[in-house]
Amino acid sequence: MSPNLTLVLVASTLIGTGTYLFLSRSLVRALMGFLLMGNGINLLYIVASGPAGAPPIVGESTEDMADPVPQALVLTAIVITLAMTAFVLALAHRGRQLSGVDLVSDDTESARIHARAEADDLGRGPTPRETAEQIAAEGERTESRHHGSPSEAPPGSEGRAEP
């Protein structure tokens, strides 16, 4: 048994192109990459499952039957891909409504952590004690902002303990 070289090349091209598009910041391009990768992997799975055979109905043919399991798995993958496509399209549409573009924005918290790690690696960052004090100060500010100061307590809550 030797796999069809054309199908293997088509599957690898689909997977490679899909990977390139999937790494894009645009949700629509990432969706197209996901679809291409899914189709390429499905094609590769069918090629790897072996040669075509007779329909998997017992007693109809004397030649070898086709294995129905890979076909069922690919069919399931197609259904899951359809559901995922609908979900990502809904996300892209909502993102376009809110911001006017379908680009994924930078994660500012991740950028801050990365900048702090680079500063630590270069020896220009704060000492561990300064970092701990800064984190504690940020926590106190966040807590006071969400829970309010004791002077802003609602009337009638003087005698109650906070949970």
Side-chain angles (χ1 to χ4, degrees), residues 53-145:
I57 301 172
V58 178
E60 289 290 319
S61 175
T62 58
E63 60 184 284
D64 289 339
M65 291 190 295
D67 187 9
V69 174
Q71 297 170 14
L73 291 175
V74 169
L75 183 61
T76 304
I78 290 170
V79 172
I80 292 170
T81 302
L82 177 66
M84 185 73 173
T85 300
F87 179 69
V88 173
L89 279 175
L91 285 178
H93 178 69
R94 184 64 178 158
R96 178 79 179 202
Q97 282 180 334
L98 293 177
S99 65
V101 293
D102 71 336
L103 299 177
V104 177
S105 62
D106 288 333
D107 183 14
T108 55
E109 182 68 17
S110 177
R112 185 177 68 84
I113 291 170
H114 182 71
R116 185 177 284 177
E118 278 186 347
D120 286 345
D121 288 343
L122 298 175
R124 297 181 302 201
T127 64
R129 180 177 294 281
E130 292 171 347
T131 303
E133 290 171 356
Q134 182 181 6
I135 291 171
E138 287 177 6
E140 289 173 5
R141 272 184 291 178
T142 303
E143 188 172 317
S144 65
R145 183 174 27 160

Side-chain angles (χ1 to χ4, degrees), residues 4-24:
N4 187 345
L5 185 61
T6 305
L7 290 178
V8 172
L9 288 175
V10 168
S12 61
T13 302
L14 285 172
I15 293 170
T17 307
T19 303
Y20 175 76
L21 287 174
F22 192 71
L23 296 175
S24 174

